[in-house]
Amino acid sequence: MKEKIRKVVVVGGGTAGWMSAALLKRVLGEQVAIELVESEQIGIVGVGEATIPPIQHVNAVLGLNEAEFLRETKSTIKLAIRFENWRKQGDSYYHTFGAPGKSQAFCHFHHFWTRAQQAGDSSSLWDYDLNYLCAEAGKFAKLKVDDPMWELHYAYHFDASLYGAFLRKYSEQRGVKRTEGLVEQVNIHPESGHVESLVLKSGKVIEGDFFVDCSGIRGLLIHKKLGTGYEDWGHWLPCDRAMAVPSERFEETLPYTRSIAHSAGWQWRIPLQHRNGNGLVYSSNHYSDEQAADILLNNLESKALTDPKIIPFRTGRTRKQWNRNVVAVGLSSGFLEPLESTSIYLIQSAIVRLIHLFPHAGVSSDLVDEYNRQSQREYELIRDFIILHYYLNERDDSQFWRDARNMDVPDRLTEKIGLFRSNGGLVQDQLDIFLEPSWLQVMLGQGVIPQDYHPIADSLTNAQLKEKLANTKKLKMEPLPKIPSHDQFLEMFCKAG
Ligand SMILES: Cc1cc2nc3c(=O)[nH]c(=O)nc-3n(C[C@H](O)[C@H](O)[C@H](O)COP(=O)(O)OP(=O)(O)OC[C@H]3O[C@@H](n4cnc5c(N)ncnc54)[C@H](O)[C@@H]3O)c2cc1C
């Protein structure tokens, strides 16, 4: 059915709902009316607090003032994730948003480094990455530089409920209509099968031409009403529960997320200006909720502020994220555990995709198919990147890790690991949010050492190679003394803005 889209109804007021409403309103303006329905009785998940750098595009499109954003959402800066005990107990590495060294003549820096390693050099690849150097030193500044060599790539940690409130205020000020109420019924057009209207508990009817289902894990429209199928990826990513608890803030806030592996899952630690976010992602086949609570609470480094909250989840994706006149955004579209903080990015990407393919003149199969093809690919690529962390482990302390090491992984992942292991080769798949430096850091951090390097790295003499590495390290270290501590930055920047 082709009908002009004049009104979009967003169902749900969590991170997905308010990001959708804010971005759609900002970009589509007066072309469509936007109404958001949410129920305070149900509430939000409220645990998505770590992001990746593309969040800055959202802020730029919305025209947000960064200092105000940091203040209002109690944000801190995120330069990296530090993975602890993932390869083996006692071992750690960073996945930073930066990149080591500087590429030369189509040859990534790590090939030169690999050649030097084979000749006996013992430096760490991360010594050549400014993001790492600042993360380790607890420093941050917004550097204005001409050379990408000194760029600091960053994202934010923020308080999810404050972020939602911030976007709600933004959206309402620009004309998004918010309706409080519990959706009890969804009406379908008898011929087209499209959603026509929602009926609230109060009896109020909300009509729309197009619906964005941001109702969270329950997927009120996409699953409950339209019965869209779900692809389960639990055989690759066996964690199926999370337990979250906030704790008191530390004296010093670190500019990175910590991810600490345990015998059947992992714990996150996210520093905010006013508190820490903590949680354990675990497999219910290996830990009872009581065991999980013991592990989480015994490993907090500051006093818990509430009782832990349990969040069951099912890893996978909704088969057709756009079905008829409904697009699922956020948890209703699928779930990948928060190991690489990708869910909020997936919300962003879904809305941007919807804006690109917006059915102004009505829903058509070419738009729907293209949307679904891209979303599927994007989900699969992130899934593979997360599997990588589990698969490349050398831990021998539990069956959980032995099983992860011995699983059959998707073919594309096998190819990528094989290529890197044989000659340090990295590939950039279209629609993969994780660029080559991300794959490099996780493969190396998880213990894959390239057996060979690109022949271009042989273009230098031994002395030139030594000098190149020494110079790169020196140049990367150069700005450090002038960069303030992360806490000093937050204080100065938030006040000044
Ligand atoms: C343990 C865990 C940790 C996470 N950590 C991160 C992270 O670090 N980084 C990251 O990017 N992402 C993270 N995420 C994901 C992130 O939390 C979610 O992507 C994000 O919060 C979006 O949730 P949502 O808006 O889809 O759903 P929800 O927050 O569940 O919101 C659902 C909304 O729908 C409304 N609703 C539902 N049913 C009805 C009804 N019948 N009538 C009216 N309204 C209704 C509710 O009131 C609510 O407003 C994490 C997720 C989990 C589970």
Side-chain angles (χ1 to χ4, degrees):
M1 189 178 73
K2 291 257 260 168
E3 264 181 29
K4 208 165 161 38
I5 306 296
R6 291 194 180 84
K7 181 177 172 193
V8 174
V9 177
V10 177
V11 184
T15 305
W18 284 114
M19 275 179 87
S20 301
L23 279 166
L24 288 171
K25 191 71 206 166
R26 175 72 177 181
V27 178
L28 301 178
E30 298 308 313
Q31 293 182 47
V32 287
I34 295 176
E35 180 166 0
L36 182 145
V37 190
E38 66 174 318
S39 162
E40 274 168 15
Q41 192 183 322
I42 293 184
I44 63 165
V45 160
V47 280
E49 306 202 312
T51 60
I52 55 176
I55 187 83
Q56 291 182 27
H57 300 311
V58 174
N59 289 4
V61 169
L62 296 179
L64 302 183
N65 173 294
E66 192 176 21
E68 185 191 355
F69 172 80
L70 289 173
R71 263 196 317 267
E72 296 281 316
T73 60
K74 302 276 185 222
S75 289
T76 63
I77 298 296
K78 177 179 170 191
L79 293 171
I81 303 176
R82 182 181 150 111
F83 288 97
E84 301 172 26
N85 304 334
W86 272 86
R87 179 182 171 195
K88 46 189 171 189
Q89 283 155 298
D91 189 76
S92 70
Y93 69 93
Y94 284 82
H95 170 199
T96 78
F97 298 137
K102 199 175 175 181
S103 300
Q104 180 182 321
F106 303 114
C107 182
H108 287 307
F109 177 80
H110 72 271
H111 291 286
F112 294 95
W113 174 81
T114 304
R115 180 185 150 196
Q117 293 279 299
Q118 291 185 357
D121 177 78
S122 60
S123 65
S124 152
L125 188 70
W126 282 268
D127 290 346
Y128 306 92
D129 176 349
L130 186 57
N131 265 61
Y132 163 79
L133 295 169
C134 284
E136 272 282 274
K139 289 177 167 230
F140 180 74
K142 280 169 67 71
L143 302 177
K144 287 200 180 78
V145 291
D146 298 328
D147 191 327
M149 177 96 162
W150 291 298
E151 273 172 6
L152 264 182
H153 298 269
Y154 66 96
Y156 311 105
H157 303 117
F158 53 56
D159 181 317
S161 41
L162 295 178
Y163 184 58
F166 186 79
L167 291 182
R168 173 178 164 184
K169 190 167 139 201
Y170 175 97
S171 306
E172 288 188 305
Q173 280 170 352
R174 284 159 183 79
V176 171
K177 181 177 174 199
R178 173 187 179 270
T179 300
E180 166 64 35
L182 189 73
V183 177
E184 280 198 333
Q185 194 184 315
V186 179
N187 292 329
I188 298 275
H189 189 280
E191 281 152 32
S192 68
H194 282 206
V195 173
E196 272 186 330
S197 59
L198 312 172
V199 184
L200 305 188
K201 194 176 178 186
S202 62
K204 185 174 176 171
V205 177
I206 296 178
E207 293 181 332
D209 304 315
F210 196 80
F211 291 78
V212 184
D213 185 349
C214 299
S215 63
I217 276 173
R218 53 183 64 75
L220 204 62
L221 275 54
I222 199 86
H223 291 298
K224 279 199 165 168
K225 192 66 197 180
L226 298 183
T228 312
Y230 196 81
E231 198 177 334
D232 193 309
W233 289 335
H235 52 297
W236 283 312
L237 294 166
C239 289
D240 57 359
R241 264 169 124 68
M243 189 174 282
V245 67
S247 69
E248 285 177 352
R249 78 157 266 162
F250 300 138
E251 208 164 302
E252 184 194 3
T253 48
L254 300 171
Y256 56 86
T257 305
R258 286 177 67 196
S259 164
I260 306 147
H262 291 292
S263 61
W266 61 276
Q267 184 175 349
W268 77 78
R269 211 164 276 171
I270 295 176
L272 302 174
Q273 288 186 33
H274 58 315
R275 62 165 171 80
N276 281 296
N278 309 275
L280 185 75
V281 173
Y282 58 100
S283 151
S284 61
N285 278 333
H286 297 78
Y287 289 158
S288 65
D289 292 339
E290 291 70 32
Q291 280 173 306
D294 278 349
I295 292 169
L296 177 60
L297 297 175
N298 288 332
N299 284 289
L300 290 184
E301 282 173 345
S302 59
K303 198 171 150 235
L305 296 171
T306 63
D307 288 332
K309 172 179 166 187
I310 296 174
I311 308 154
F313 59 80
R314 188 174 164 212
T315 296
R317 59 174 280 277
T318 297
R319 282 190 194 279
K320 285 165 79 179
Q321 294 177 347
W322 182 342
N323 190 359
R324 302 184 204 177
N325 64 337
V326 175
V327 162
V329 177
L331 297 174
S332 61
S333 71
F335 187 67
L336 286 163
E337 59 176 76
L339 188 61
E340 285 285 354
S341 324
T342 40
S343 290
I344 294 171
Y345 169 73
L346 281 167
I347 295 172
Q348 164 182 354
S349 165
I351 307 162
V352 171
R353 182 171 303 123
L354 177 60
I355 289 168
H356 281 304
L357 297 170
F358 195 79
H360 290 278
V363 174
S364 65
S365 60
D366 48 352
L367 293 173
V368 175
D369 292 348
E370 181 56 25
Y371 183 96
N372 286 331
R373 191 192 64 76
Q374 290 183 20
S375 331
Q376 175 177 352
R377 191 73 195 116
E378 182 170 61
Y379 252 82
E380 287 169 348
L381 288 163
I382 294 178
R383 173 201 68 194
D384 288 1
F385 190 58
I386 295 176
I387 295 174
L388 184 73
H389 302 65
Y390 283 95
Y391 179 58
L392 293 178
N393 84 83
E394 296 168 21
R395 290 181 63 132
D396 214 13
D397 57 312
S398 72
Q399 197 56 40
F400 175 87
W401 290 105
R402 283 190 288 273
D403 288 348
R405 185 159 65 241
N406 292 320
M407 69 176 144
D408 285 330
V409 298
D411 292 346
R412 187 72 184 130
L413 186 54
T414 309
E415 286 161 16
K416 285 180 179 173
I417 297 170
L419 185 69
F420 184 72
R421 202 187 295 278
S422 66
N423 67 3
L426 295 164
V427 270
Q428 183 63 54
D429 279 321
Q430 212 189 353
L431 292 174
D432 191 355
I433 183 59
F434 292 107
L435 307 182
E436 288 141 332
S438 294
W439 285 87
L440 166 68
Q441 293 177 69
V442 176
M443 287 208 259
L444 213 55
Q446 293 288 146
V448 183
I449 307 294
Q451 287 153 5
D452 205 351
Y453 52 84
H454 196 282
I456 292 178
D458 275 330
S459 58
L460 303 182
T461 63
N462 285 341
Q464 284 170 329
L465 180 67
K466 217 169 158 188
E467 196 187 337
K468 177 183 170 70
L469 293 188
N471 272 343
T472 308
K473 199 186 270 188
K474 192 166 147 245
L475 286 171
K476 287 279 181 175
M477 304 271 298
E478 225 165 57
L480 269 188
K482 291 183 224 130
I483 299 179
S485 78
H486 174 230
D487 282 323
Q488 281 167 344
F489 163 79
L490 286 175
E491 204 189 325
M492 288 183 303
F493 188 72
C494 289
K495 255 193 211 149

